[in-house]
Amino acid sequence: MTQWQFRNARNATVGGSLAALAFGLATAQAAAADLAITVANVANAQGKVLVAVCTPETFLGPNCPYTAAEPARPGSVTVVVHKVPPGTYAVQSFHDENQNLELDRNFLGLPKEGVGFSNDAPMRFGPPRYADAALAVAEPATRTTLSLRYLVER
């Protein structure tokens, strides 16, 4: 093999490796779904409906990796969270009526704004368990519905 052939063979290998890497990255980026969450029982048109798609480690906390919001309106609001990798997650939602991006609570610690979880997971003497709220997200899109619960008299 001449020096020129060796250089071109090496460049072809590097070029092929780069092409494979680019294809792998494109495939990894394509491995994501749009999760459409219909939030039912929205009490009024004040503020926004916020949703968070959570892993077991982030569930019930402020750092869920995938979030979205839509303006509130009485009845149902559909919020779409884009680019969620396929897997199992739990969705938490609340009606942020005063748009302070916090779930307001009363003096007993009960939410003053509507809250909801995927699968309408039961809240028995506290927040639901992740296992009760877990749902599978698959490509290209997944749809789910949850209902807000207003726990404090309005």
Side-chain angles (χ1 to χ4, degrees):
M1 182 179 288
T2 68
Q3 188 174 12
W4 180 87
Q5 289 171 322
F6 176 75
R7 257 188 306 199
N8 284 337
R10 186 178 65 205
N11 288 344
T13 302
V14 170
S17 297
L18 290 176
L21 177 62
F23 176 76
L25 289 175
T27 303
Q29 290 172 349
D34 288 341
L35 176 56
I37 303 139
T38 299
V39 180
N41 198 36
V42 179
N44 58 54
Q46 295 175 347
K48 293 188 175 210
V49 174
L50 283 70
V51 299
V53 180
C54 311
T55 63
E57 300 78 27
T58 61
F59 184 58
L60 300 176
N63 298 317
C64 296
Y66 310 100
T67 60
E70 287 292 330
R73 68 178 169 276
S76 295
V77 174
T78 299
V79 182
V80 179
V81 183
H82 299 285
K83 298 183 180 178
V84 178
T88 301
Y89 301 92
V91 177
Q92 56 193 37
S93 178
F94 78 99
H95 180 185
D96 188 14
E97 293 179 82
N98 60 5
Q99 297 189 63
N100 66 352
L101 301 177
E102 294 179 7
L103 178 60
D104 297 329
R105 298 176 181 274
N106 69 6
F107 67 97
L108 295 174
L110 294 173
K112 292 169 46 177
E113 299 171 303
V115 296
F117 300 91
S118 44
N119 301 329
D120 285 331
M123 299 187 317
R124 296 182 189 99
F125 306 107
R129 299 176 329 148
Y130 177 84
D132 292 335
L135 65 95
V137 174
E139 294 180 277
T142 300
R143 298 188 64 81
T144 191
T145 300
L146 62 86
S147 295
L148 292 180
R149 296 173 218 161
Y150 293 83
L151 303 176
V152 174
E153 188 75 25
R154 303 175 59 70

